[in-house]
Amino acid sequence: MAFNSLRFLIYLPVVFILYWVLPQRYRWGLLLIASYGFCSVCAPTFLIWIILSTLGSYAVGRVMGWILNRGRRQVLLALGIGGNLGLLFVLKYLGFADEILRAVFGYLNLTYQLTPPNLLLPVGISFYTLQSIGYLVDVYRGTIEPERHLGHFALYMAFFPKLVSGPIERAGHLIPQFRQAHSLDAQRLFGGLRLMLWGMFKKVVIADRLAVYVNEVYAQPGGYAGWTIVIATLFSAVHIYSDFSGYSDIAVGVARLFDLDVIQNFHQPYLATTVSEFWRRWHVSFSSWLRDYVYIPLGGSRVARWRRDLNIMITFLVSGLWHGADWTFVLWGGLHGLYLVLERRGKKASDRIAGALRLEDTAVRRMMGVVTMFLLVSFAWIFFYAQSVPDALLLIRNLVRFGSGPDVMAPWAGLTDAPLAEMALAWGLIGLLALVHLIRAERLPQVSLVADRATVRWAAYLLLALAIMNLGVANELPFVYAGF
């Protein structure tokens, strides 16, 4: 059940009303039923996998809390992590492993006759698997106590606003909220609705519109060249941000309707001046999970420089593989790892050059950093969006073939008979998004003062609602990260 569907617009108010009518002690049960209902709408069998993961992680956590012997706790931790990763591997990566084995056997001229089952990827499994692993590691480390209430733990795993595409919650942050008394607060209610409105605008007006252009170009990598690919690549950077942050805004907003807080996943990532800063602002719940449960256990930065670089590469290769069972995602993650390694290696030289040019802490250097970061990240999105590695390489090769290929307006053909107006609207929406970023980052103080006025805010809410109804792309396109 997608946030941008009519079913969800009917489902949410029903759950909201029942939640606030029920006594406090029954509310977690309602949310769990609603979450399992939300999951089963996609496919009833999806419930099997999340319940298996929930029961297994709950049991391992409880037993780990009873045992003091470190060796036995490590065995339990390995069993818990292995069970979750094994389930994820079978449901998501079995086909990818089959492809690799088939290629290896073919190279060795050996017969390969295995055919993996064609399994449907359960909604949210990549996200709740990380939540399970994070919970088990935290229990092992003693950061949190094992959760005794099975219902609360099940709700932590399945809470429907963040089930499909996160944020990836921490047990120590979300579970205690289920025990607290909650009251309907008008300010939090309206705050949640504002986030939902802004998130829906980013999704159906900006992201889904840009998706038409991006999908057309990336579906035919040999059919376009030059500026068309440049525009599609820049659009892809804005598309995935608008789509994913739009989902996250709606998720945070929906949680606030129930007086619950989930992690804010984005902090103006395209205003970062370095790739490392970008990752501190982008998909925050995931990047912090990688830091705490992959990078630091590998040794983090407190090792020799070559080992630190290796830790970075491993972490980002894991990041790429988590996103999808394809070499394109592995290369995307590896490219970001390479960016960070080179960034750290070249920091002193960069600072010396900036010092020589007297640009140590100036607006010019910050602007150069933002532009450089955005171009590097946008280039990496080519591998993320391409349907295969050969397609990605073809797009990169055609990227510099200016003056050839169809007109830059051609990809709009599937959406409108007025491509010039559509292109102007797309760039105008990108400009609006950038303006909002700058206002939120307090880079435009005079504009911020005007935007804080109640009349201006309510006019903006009305315009956003009208834009969703009149400019939204009415195809109910799925959220990008719903496929991961």
Side-chain angles (χ1 to χ4, degrees):
M1 189 189 305
F3 286 163
N4 57 330
S5 67
L6 179 60
R7 282 187 298 184
F8 183 74
L9 294 179
I10 297 172
Y11 191 76
L12 180 61
V14 173
V15 178
F16 173 79
I17 293 170
L18 290 175
Y19 179 84
W20 289 111
V21 168
L22 285 174
Q24 173 70 36
R25 64 181 179 276
Y26 299 126
R27 288 174 182 169
W28 70 265
L30 171 70
L31 288 180
L32 182 59
I33 294 169
S35 298
Y36 281 164
F38 182 90
C39 180
S40 65
V41 166
C42 302
T45 54
F46 288 174
L47 280 177
I48 297 172
W49 310 120
I50 192 169
I51 290 173
L52 274 177
S53 181
T54 298
L55 293 176
S57 298
Y58 173 80
V60 171
R62 287 301 304 275
V63 175
M64 204 184 301
W66 299 332
I67 295 174
L68 299 178
N69 182 276
R70 183 178 179 183
R72 292 179 181 177
R73 287 168 62 85
Q74 287 177 338
V75 170
L76 282 169
L77 178 63
L79 286 173
I81 293 175
N84 278 288
L85 290 181
L87 187 63
L88 181 64
F89 175 81
V90 170
L91 294 169
K92 183 172 181 177
Y93 298 103
L94 200 59
F96 186 48
D98 174 74
E99 177 188 326
I100 294 171
L101 287 174
R102 196 174 297 278
V104 171
F105 273 65
Y107 179 79
L108 297 174
N109 292 320
L110 298 174
T111 303
Y112 183 87
Q113 296 179 336
L114 295 177
T115 302
N118 187 18
L119 299 172
L120 192 63
L121 181 67
V123 62
I125 188 169
S126 297
F127 293 87
Y128 64 71
T129 296
L130 296 192
Q131 287 196 172
S132 291
I133 293 172
Y135 166 77
L136 292 173
V137 173
D138 286 348
V139 170
Y140 171 78
R141 291 172 175 171
T143 306
I144 60 172
E145 291 295 319
E147 178 55 42
R148 296 185 177 185
H149 195 299
L150 177 57
H152 287 172
F153 183 75
L155 182 56
Y156 156 72
M157 293 284 288
F159 186 41
F160 73 91
K162 54 85 182 167
L163 174 64
V164 177
S165 300
I168 300 164
E169 269 295 336
R170 305 291 179 99
H173 175 250
L174 186 58
I175 292 178
Q177 296 183 59
F178 301 147
R179 301 191 184 95
Q180 296 167 359
H182 296 280
S183 58
L184 185 58
D185 180 84
Q187 186 174 358
R188 285 180 60 78
L189 174 63
F190 285 119
L193 292 173
R194 282 197 301 269
L195 273 173
M196 292 170 63
L197 180 66
W198 177 236
M200 193 66 72
F201 174 81
K202 285 193 287 185
K203 166 60 179 171
V204 303
V205 179
I206 301 178
D208 288 356
R209 171 162 277 96
L210 298 181
V212 174
Y213 196 99
V214 173
N215 292 343
E216 169 63 22
V217 173
Y218 278 78
Q220 302 184 59
Y224 296 96
W227 287 112
T228 306
I229 296 179
V230 171
I231 293 172
T233 301
L234 297 177
F235 277 6
S236 71
V238 182
H239 165 254
I240 196 163
Y241 168 75
S242 300
D243 187 282
F244 193 18
S245 71
Y247 178 96
S248 295
D249 284 346
I250 297 171
V252 174
V254 172
R256 285 187 185 176
L257 299 186
F258 305 107
D259 197 31
L260 296 170
D261 287 316
V262 296
I263 299 169
Q264 287 279 4
N265 237 354
F266 293 88
H267 302 294
Q268 293 90 43
Y270 289 139
L271 291 182
T273 57
T274 62
V275 176
S276 58
E277 185 187 358
F278 168 83
W279 276 102
R280 291 192 295 272
R281 294 166 172 259
W282 175 274
H283 201 177
V284 174
S285 64
F286 178 59
S287 58
S288 62
W289 192 97
L290 287 173
R291 178 198 64 208
D292 293 343
Y293 302 111
V294 179
Y295 181 66
I296 291 177
L298 287 172
S301 301
R302 293 180 294 181
V303 290
R305 190 164 65 169
W306 70 268
R307 178 66 184 277
R308 179 201 67 189
D309 294 345
L310 178 61
N311 292 343
I312 291 172
M313 290 302 302
I314 291 173
T315 300
F316 277 91
L317 288 171
V318 169
S319 166
L321 190 60
W322 175 85
H323 278 81
D326 200 294
W327 289 113
T328 53
F329 294 110
V330 175
L331 288 174
W332 170 79
L335 190 54
H336 272 275
L338 182 61
Y339 287 163
L340 263 71
V341 169
L342 295 177
E343 179 184 300
R344 292 197 175 196
R345 292 270 184 169
K347 187 177 186 307
K348 290 183 179 179
S350 175
D351 289 343
R352 282 197 298 270
I353 293 172
L357 297 174
R358 296 184 179 180
L359 296 174
E360 294 97 329
D361 188 25
T362 63
V364 174
R365 188 183 185 188
R366 288 194 294 273
M367 180 59 68
M368 290 172 63
V370 169
V371 172
T372 302
M373 177 281 305
F374 182 76
L375 292 176
L376 289 172
V377 171
S378 296
F379 178 78
W381 288 130
I382 293 176
F383 291 94
F384 191 95
Y385 275 84
Q387 297 178 8
S388 66
V389 174
D391 280 2
L393 297 177
L394 180 58
L395 283 161
I396 293 169
R397 187 160 61 247
N398 288 343
L399 182 69
V400 294
R401 290 178 52 227
F402 297 103
S404 60
D407 184 82
V408 293
M409 302 296 176
W412 290 120
L415 178 66
T416 179
D417 294 328
L420 182 61
E422 198 63 42
M423 183 69 85
L425 177 60
W427 284 109
L429 291 169
I430 292 172
L432 173 64
L433 192 63
L435 178 63
V436 172
H437 266 56
L438 292 170
I439 291 173
R440 287 185 171 181
E442 299 180 351
R443 302 286 179 86
L444 301 172
Q446 292 180 335
V447 178
S448 298
L449 288 174
V450 176
D452 283 339
R453 295 176 182 173
T455 53
V456 175
R457 290 201 310 272
W458 282 101
Y461 304 151
L462 177 61
L463 289 173
L464 288 176
L466 290 172
I468 291 169
M469 291 185 287
N470 293 283
L471 297 177
V473 178
N475 292 335
E476 283 191 22
L477 295 178
F479 288 87
V480 173
Y481 270 66
F484 300 147

